[in-house]
C-alpha cells in the first residue's frame, strides 16, 4: 500500500466565512486526490516543536514553542 500526506491549512475571511468554508476546502482537496486514484484515510494532527532562535548576540531571541499542524492522509493500493 502507498500513502500520501499533505498539509491542510484552511483559510477563511473571519468577517464573511465560517467553518462551512473550511469543510468545503477539505472536500475539494479530497475530491481532487480521489480523482487521481487516492483514497482519503483521515485528517491527522501533528505536534511540532519550533526550535528557539538565539538572535544576534542575544538580541531578538525567541523561545521555542510547540505548534500543531493538520495533515490529510491518503492511501492507494499499488
Amino acid at each position: 500500500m502507498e500513502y500520501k500526506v499533505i498539509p491542510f491549512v484552511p483559510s477563511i475571511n473571519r468577517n464573511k466565512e465560517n467553518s462551512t468554508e473550511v469543510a468545503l476546502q477539505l472536500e475539494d482537496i479530497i475530491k481532487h486526490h480521489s480523482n487521481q486514484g487516492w483514497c482519503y484515510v483521515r485528517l491527522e494532527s501533528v505536534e511540532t516543536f519550533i526550535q528557539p532562535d538565539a538572535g544576534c548576540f542575544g538580541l531578538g531571541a525567541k523561545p521555542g514553542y510547540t505548534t500543531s499542524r493538520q495533515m490529510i492522509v491518503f492511501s492507494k493500493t499499488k
Side-chain angles (χ1 to χ4, degrees), residues 6 13 18 20-21 23 25 31 48 50 52-53 57-58 60 63 65:
I6 63 169
N13 178 332
N18 57 28
T20 301
E21 180 60 29
Q25 290 177 35
K31 284 180 184 177
T48 304
I50 307 298
D53 183 355
F57 301 110
Y65 60 95

Side-chain angles (χ1 to χ4, degrees), residues 2-43:
E2 189 176 354
Y3 290 94
K4 181 178 192 174
V5 179
I6 63 169
F8 177 60
V9 184
S11 175
I12 62 172
N13 178 332
R14 74 176 84 188
N15 297 322
K16 296 180 182 177
E17 300 164 324
N18 57 28
S19 58
T20 301
E21 180 60 29
V22 173
L24 290 172
Q25 290 177 35
L26 180 58
E27 184 178 328
D28 287 344
I29 293 171
I30 292 170
K31 284 180 184 177
H32 172 78
H33 286 82
S34 291
N35 290 338
Q36 296 178 357
W38 291 97
C39 180
Y40 172 76
V41 176
R42 70 177 156 272
L43 185 64

Side-chain angles (χ1 to χ4, degrees), residues 48-53 61-67:
T48 304
F49 180 73
I50 307 298
Q51 294 292 328
D53 183 355
K62 298 176 185 171
Y65 60 95
T66 301
T67 186

